[in-house]
Amino acid sequence: MNATFPRTRKPRLGYDTTEVEEFLQVARRAYDGTARPDDPPLTSERIRLTAFAMQKGGYSTAHVDAALERLEDAFAAQERQVAARLHGNEAWLREARTTAQVISNRLARPQGQRFDRVNPLVLGYSTREVDRFADKLTRYFRDGWPVSLDDVRTVVFKTQRGGYRESQVDLVLDAVVDVMLAVR
């Protein structure tokens, strides 16, 4: 039997093959417009937030993650087409510009104060690393400096006690991805 993705060697962990296959079936039906009534609604954002359990000998995480990114791109393009038909391209772009301005305002805050901090006894994202990446994003929005979708999707921050609240940083990064997909 052919697998959809390469598998990890048995002692190593990969994504649960059954979960991945079931998700891909739902995604295929959603994209084709043949979703079943019991299928969960699927959007580019939901694809970005999808997570799978791990299993020994599961699907290669790198291969599945790359496929999910392509799937997210395809759904985002489809969502943009639908929104443009319903509301016009200008409305879609206006919403993207509004979101970009909210992000820019957040990133314009002073270093060390761009996001809420967690308790000094709790681990959060490294403020120095997040601020450094935030400066790159500021230059992207303000000056058009090159930052790729892949840069945003794959950024990883070290942790530190009393660092930035991870969920807040992740939400802003998701919003950046949304804007980047909208203006493609």
Side-chain angles (χ1 to χ4, degrees):
M1 181 173 134
N2 287 339
T4 306
F5 299 101
R7 290 177 176 258
T8 60
R9 293 187 185 264
K10 212 39 153 173
R12 301 189 93 184
L13 292 175
Y15 288 139
D16 183 292
T17 57
T18 303
E19 286 184 18
V20 171
E21 292 295 340
E22 288 173 358
F23 178 81
L24 291 177
Q25 288 175 1
V26 170
R28 189 173 295 116
R29 289 191 300 264
Y31 190 78
D32 293 342
T34 59
R36 297 178 182 163
D38 60 329
D39 284 346
L42 200 55
T43 63
S44 59
E45 181 180 21
R46 173 111 194 276
I47 292 167
R48 184 178 328 120
L49 300 176
T50 295
F52 302 109
M54 303 297 277
Q55 72 179 61
K56 290 182 180 178
Y59 284 147
S60 160
T61 57
H63 287 88
V64 174
D65 289 346
L68 288 177
E69 289 171 6
R70 291 189 302 273
L71 192 60
E72 179 188 358
D73 292 348
F75 270 75
Q78 192 177 57
E79 291 162 8
R80 180 179 180 162
Q81 289 174 348
V82 169
R85 267 195 311 263
L86 293 174
H87 309 289
N89 249 347
E90 187 53 39
W92 176 265
L93 291 173
R94 186 172 41 253
E95 183 177 336
R97 278 193 295 272
T98 300
T99 303
Q101 187 60 55
V102 170
I103 294 167
S104 293
N105 292 345
R106 159 79 59 181
L107 300 179
R109 293 177 180 180
Q111 289 193 357
Q113 299 176 23
R114 290 179 170 143
F115 300 94
D116 290 342
R117 304 286 282 268
V118 295
N119 180 304
L121 302 176
V122 176
L123 290 175
Y125 285 146
S126 163
T127 55
R128 173 183 274 153
E129 288 186 8
V130 172
D131 283 340
R132 192 173 318 139
F133 193 72
D135 290 341
K136 286 182 183 181
L137 292 176
T138 297
R139 289 190 300 272
Y140 167 79
F141 285 113
R142 187 187 60 214
D143 305 326
W145 276 46
V147 174
S148 73
L149 259 173
D150 220 27
D151 293 338
V152 180
R153 285 175 169 156
T154 60
V155 68
V156 177
F157 305 112
K158 291 180 183 173
T159 57
Q160 74 176 59
R161 293 195 186 283
Y164 282 140
R165 185 172 309 282
E166 293 178 11
S167 59
Q168 201 175 46
V169 173
D170 292 344
L171 282 172
V172 170
L173 292 176
D174 284 345
V176 170
V177 169
D178 286 340
V179 170
M180 294 174 93
L181 288 171
V183 298
R184 269 186 148 180

